[in-house]
Amino acid sequence: MSPGRGRLKTAAASSIQQERRVLPIQKLLREAAEPGYAQRAASFFKTGPGTYGEGDQFLGVRVPDVRAVARADDGLVDVARLMGSRWHEDRLLGVLILVRRFERGGEAERKTVVDSYLGFTERINNWDLVDLSASQILGAWLLRRPRGILNRLVASPNLWERRIAIVATFAFIRERDLEPTFALTKNLLSDPEDLMHKACGWMLREAGKRDVSALEEFLLVHIHAMPRTMLRYAIERFPERRRQELLKL
């Protein structure tokens, strides 16, 4: 078990006590909360029974305000406490703090952040938490390193670990290294989750911005096995006539 997972279980087990004695940085978060927005966020992130965000709870803090609070991190904030919280925005604050620490840290600090991040994947459990951190932490770490961890994550039964894997490749795409995105997407063509179809389509679209010929070559090989949502996302920037031709295939 990673150190992150051990701290996470301890933090999650004491969630009630946490609310009674929240961290100073959590108090800042709660001061920015809008109760009316909390209801809209709960609906937007699909928290009803049987949905991907079932049971998630919201304080009602907007992302720019969570980012502003993250800037108050002095390097001593207990991220495990944040990740163990039942509140979505606490966990979002946790991953944004990890992003900031990774971006500002040296090699040893970055390694610590990556290990913690991988230990918290059970609590990085909604698409915004993934999308605001996967490429900035894991993808950035793997730019010049072996990437076998992505193959493990993409084969995980956990939806969010699979999404972390594909979204992490955004860091490679920015460097015009497109093959990892194509390879992982190939493994996800039969994924049952619509959220994964959207994530793969998004990464394919970004790859196409760098090399449209490479994207079209990938599409022509795999289009018959590709979920329609994934295809629609991937070809959003194509000329309308070409989009229709591909959709008909």
Side-chain angles (χ1 to χ4, degrees):
M1 178 184 296
S2 73
R5 286 192 192 276
R7 292 195 304 272
L8 177 59
K9 288 187 176 181
T10 301
S14 60
S15 60
I16 294 177
Q17 289 81 353
Q18 287 179 26
E19 285 305 308
R20 291 175 180 167
R21 50 182 181 82
V22 296
L23 301 172
I25 202 166
Q26 289 175 290
K27 292 180 180 179
L28 295 177
L29 202 60
R30 282 144 181 74
E31 290 170 2
E34 304 174 34
Y37 181 68
Q39 297 176 359
R40 296 196 296 276
S43 175
F44 182 71
F45 284 101
K46 310 295 184 188
T47 59
T51 58
Y52 62 76
E54 180 176 356
D56 208 352
Q57 299 181 55
F58 288 80
L59 293 166
V61 187
R62 300 175 188 272
V63 173
D65 293 326
V66 181
R67 288 189 182 278
V69 173
R71 291 195 287 272
D73 171 45
D74 59 1
L76 301 176
V77 171
D78 185 353
V79 173
R81 281 273 300 275
L82 298 176
M83 299 308 298
S85 173
R86 69 179 185 269
W87 297 106
H88 183 98
E89 291 91 341
D90 279 341
R91 302 194 306 279
L92 176 58
L93 177 61
V95 297
L96 291 178
I97 286 174
L98 289 178
V99 169
R100 285 177 55 82
R101 290 181 183 178
F102 183 89
E103 291 174 346
R104 290 161 173 72
E107 189 78 359
E109 173 71 3
R110 289 186 170 195
K111 178 65 164 57
T112 298
V113 168
V114 171
D115 288 344
S116 294
Y117 185 77
L118 292 173
F120 294 141
T121 54
E122 291 180 3
R123 302 296 290 168
I124 304 173
N125 56 355
N126 218 313
W127 58 263
D128 61 325
L129 306 183
V130 173
D131 296 357
L132 293 173
S133 61
S135 68
Q136 295 90 332
I137 296 176
L138 186 57
W141 177 251
L142 296 176
L143 276 173
R144 307 289 181 263
R145 293 179 174 85
R147 300 166 181 177
I149 182 64
L150 297 182
N151 295 324
R152 180 180 71 78
L153 292 173
V154 85
S156 170
N158 183 321
L159 159 64
W160 307 115
E161 290 191 341
R162 300 198 304 276
R163 188 166 176 118
I164 286 171
I166 190 64
V167 175
T169 69
F170 202 174
F172 312 153
I173 292 170
R174 293 190 182 102
E175 300 284 320
R176 305 187 70 84
D177 181 5
L178 311 183
E179 187 54 37
T181 300
F182 294 145
L184 292 184
T185 298
K186 182 178 177 180
N187 290 333
L188 292 166
L189 290 173
S190 60
D191 196 285
E193 297 288 348
D194 188 61
L195 278 176
M196 290 306 303
H197 304 167
K198 292 176 179 177
C200 291
W202 169 29
M203 290 301 103
L204 291 175
R205 183 181 68 222
E206 294 301 323
K209 290 179 183 178
R210 278 73 179 180
D211 189 338
V212 68
S213 297
L215 172 58
E216 190 153 353
E217 180 179 346
F218 177 84
L219 294 176
L220 291 175
V221 172
H222 299 289
I223 197 167
H224 297 292
M226 186 173 291
R228 196 166 181 83
T229 297
M230 188 187 299
L231 176 60
R232 284 189 176 277
Y233 272 60
I235 62 176
E236 275 184 354
R237 295 177 63 88
F238 279 38
E240 180 62 21
R241 181 175 178 179
R242 186 55 176 154
R243 285 183 65 253
Q244 293 305 320
E245 290 172 348
L246 290 169
L247 287 170
K248 288 177 182 177
L249 290 178

